[in-house]
Amino acid sequence: MAVFRYSAVKGDGSVLNGELEANDRSEAVQRLGRQGLQPVKIESADAVPVAKGAAGLKAMGKGKGKEAGKNGAPLGPVKLKRGQVVMFTEELSDLLAAGLQLEPALKVMESREELSALKDVTILLRQQVRDGASFSRSLRSSSPSFGELYCNMAAAGEISGALPTILKRQAEYLNTLQDLQNKVIFAMIYPAFLVASGVGVTVLFVTFLIPQLMSLLESTQSGVPPAAQAMITASDFVKSYWWIFVILIVLGVTTVRILIRDPKRKLKWHELQLSFPLTGKVLRSRFFVQSTETLANLVGNGLPLLKGLELTRDTTLNLYLREKMTRLIGIVGEGGSLSRGMKRVGFFPPLLIDMIAVGEQTGDLEVALQRAATRYDKELSKSIERMSAMVQPLIVVIMASIVGVMAYMMISIIFETISGLGR
């Protein structure tokens, strides 16, 4: 167990300083709360003190270049990584659940020893909350990384008085999305490594090994195999005119970016992505998981269904899927049920519609949405595993074929060299 130093306010308003043992900061806060104490500062007793004087100022200056305002707060919004947003949400929800008010809880988080963007955001938040701004408004102005959905959830928590619960559920939701993203990324690491290795081996053969063997073959005045001669010609062309390929790649990428700026072309491109043989099903399953998980989170925290659908649509990046969500919102706004709207839109699978219809009939839509999210999360995992199982052997066969052709040409050159030496 770690030792924490704390400063806490007693019931009579006096300040108490002391130390206690706990597994982590959250447990320390809870133990102080059970003793009737309101902590204003908690830090590890093993933490290294911040350097004072000129050395301390020099160390403080080694940050990310953010200008500091009053009380050391940065002047502008600070960007956070997804993991930092999750950490902030978990820590703040634990502090609020332990009985702390918002401003003292932010002060506890502000006292962290780590000099990072998370500390800067906490300083900004506490300063604005202390000046009278709402928590949701402070989130919007402190960092763009929280997003519109996060800020709207915080506003709902402030209105309903359930901010600790909403933040806890939001942390679980962010972790779910992060796990979802990691599944897709991890599934593509091995195929990407195989492609990079195959390209590297091919470049090595074409630009170095085969030319070396060709020089040896020419020195023996032996004939050059046709396949080897073709590869040498291609190698010489790549060496001499490599800049043409670079220009073509840059022009191609620039052209695609310009074309998809048009909303109609971008809409068609996003629709086409959903019909790709391997990745299309993964993208569709990911949308079903994310949309049902988001909507369940919003409905469970008391937001109206129509508002929840609008926020869910705002978290969707695919324009084709956003268009489907807009149609669904229009149907529900006219008085239709969610399941009937999904059926009229036509994109949503029958199983998802049936699960939501059951939730509407039982009056527990949140549970039905959570079950649907769990069901399609399993389906997504199966789709990713199936895609990995099909892509990896395919890439191995392609790379092995390329390397095999290169090896065959090298062996042919070696045999020609040996034959020339024998003559």
Side-chain angles (χ1 to χ4, degrees):
M1 299 180 69
V3 178
F4 292 89
R5 295 194 185 98
Y6 66 87
S7 296
V9 179
K10 300 170 64 175
D12 57 3
S14 60
V15 178
L16 176 65
N17 298 319
E19 295 183 353
L20 58 82
E21 293 184 353
N23 291 323
D24 51 30
R25 188 187 298 272
S26 176
E27 182 180 338
V29 172
Q30 293 177 2
R31 290 184 60 182
L32 291 174
R34 288 194 293 266
Q35 297 175 19
L37 300 175
Q38 181 172 319
V40 295
K41 183 177 182 181
I42 298 180
E43 60 182 5
S44 174
D46 299 329
V48 179
V50 179
K52 303 294 183 181
L57 293 175
K58 184 177 180 181
M60 292 287 288
K62 294 181 180 179
K64 297 183 178 180
K66 283 284 182 183
E67 295 182 358
K70 60 180 182 178
N71 300 328
L75 295 178
V78 180
K79 290 186 178 181
L80 299 176
K81 298 178 181 179
R82 183 187 293 269
Q84 290 177 319
V85 174
V86 174
M87 182 186 299
F88 170 85
T89 308
E90 290 175 340
E91 290 185 0
L92 185 57
S93 65
D94 289 340
L95 292 170
L96 295 177
L100 270 71
Q101 298 298 317
L102 180 60
E103 198 271 339
L106 290 173
K107 186 174 182 180
V108 172
M109 297 177 63
E110 182 184 324
S111 64
R112 62 171 62 243
E113 297 292 339
E114 179 187 6
L115 299 178
S116 65
L118 190 57
K119 181 180 178 72
D120 293 337
V121 168
T122 306
I123 293 173
L124 277 172
L125 280 171
R126 179 170 173 262
Q127 186 179 91
Q128 295 181 43
V129 169
R130 187 174 52 192
D131 291 342
S134 66
F135 180 56
S136 56
R137 183 178 178 183
S138 301
L139 286 172
R140 286 187 175 92
S141 59
S142 298
S143 175
S145 304
F146 289 110
E148 190 66 22
L149 175 61
Y150 191 104
C151 296
N152 288 335
M153 292 293 296
E158 289 179 301
I159 295 172
S160 62
L163 185 58
T165 303
I166 287 181
L167 285 176
K168 187 175 182 63
R169 297 187 62 169
Q170 190 69 9
E172 295 173 353
Y173 168 70
L174 292 173
N175 279 319
T176 300
L177 291 185
Q178 193 169 20
D179 292 341
L180 186 63
Q181 184 178 9
N182 290 338
K183 286 180 182 178
V184 180
I185 293 175
F186 290 156
M188 298 306 297
I189 288 178
Y190 183 62
F193 175 77
L194 290 177
V195 171
S197 301
V199 171
V201 170
T202 302
V203 171
L204 178 64
F205 270 94
V206 173
T207 61
F208 181 74
L209 295 178
I210 291 181
Q212 291 292 329
L213 288 174
M214 285 297 298
S215 299
L216 178 62
L217 190 61
E218 291 173 358
S219 66
T220 61
Q221 298 181 352
S222 301
V224 181
Q229 185 60 54
M231 290 301 301
I232 290 302
T233 303
S235 175
D236 293 338
F237 180 81
V238 171
K239 287 181 179 180
S240 302
Y241 302 101
W242 59 268
W243 49 272
I244 295 179
F245 295 98
V246 175
I247 293 176
L248 289 176
I249 292 173
V250 173
L251 287 177
V253 172
T254 304
T255 303
V256 170
R257 288 186 174 181
I258 292 175
L259 289 176
I260 64 175
R261 284 179 183 175
D262 180 59
K264 292 183 179 180
R265 291 194 184 99
K266 193 171 185 178
L267 179 64
K268 289 294 183 181
W269 166 241
H270 285 180
E271 181 181 2
L272 182 63
Q273 290 178 355
L274 299 174
S275 61
F276 287 161
L278 294 177
T279 59
K281 188 174 182 179
V282 173
L283 293 176
R284 292 194 299 271
S285 298
R286 181 180 179 181
F287 166 70
F288 296 140
V289 174
Q290 181 174 338
S291 59
T292 52
E293 180 71 29
T294 302
L295 190 57
N297 192 22
L298 295 170
V299 172
N301 286 307
L303 267 71
L305 177 60
L306 193 61
K307 181 64 176 178
L309 286 171
E310 292 174 352
L311 293 175
T312 302
R313 176 193 60 190
D314 295 340
T315 62
T316 305
L317 300 179
N318 188 291
L319 292 183
Y320 179 76
L321 297 176
R322 286 173 69 95
E323 185 183 62
K324 295 296 183 183
M325 290 296 297
T326 301
R327 287 185 56 194
L328 178 60
I329 291 170
I331 296 172
V332 174
E334 293 173 356
S337 64
L338 180 59
S339 59
R340 187 175 301 173
M342 287 181 169
K343 188 175 182 179
R344 288 179 57 184
V345 169
F347 176 77
F348 297 91
L351 177 60
L352 176 60
I353 297 174
D354 292 340
M355 295 179 72
I356 291 177
V358 171
E360 290 173 333
Q361 293 173 4
T362 59
D364 203 344
L365 182 60
E366 178 195 358
V367 174
L369 289 168
Q370 288 286 3
R371 288 176 179 172
T374 302
R375 169 70 175 77
Y376 280 94
D377 183 55
K378 294 179 180 178
E379 186 69 25
L380 175 61
S381 298
K382 292 180 181 178
S383 298
I384 293 175
E385 291 175 1
R386 191 179 301 114
M387 182 183 68
S388 301
M390 294 178 65
V391 168
Q392 292 177 10
L394 179 63
I395 293 177
V396 169
V397 170
I398 294 174
M399 293 298 105
S401 301
I402 295 174
V403 174
V405 170
M406 300 293 179
Y408 172 77
M409 286 190 295
M410 288 186 64
I411 293 172
S412 299
I413 295 173
I414 292 172
F415 277 127
E416 290 289 341
T417 304
I418 294 172
S419 299
L421 291 175
R423 291 194 296 269

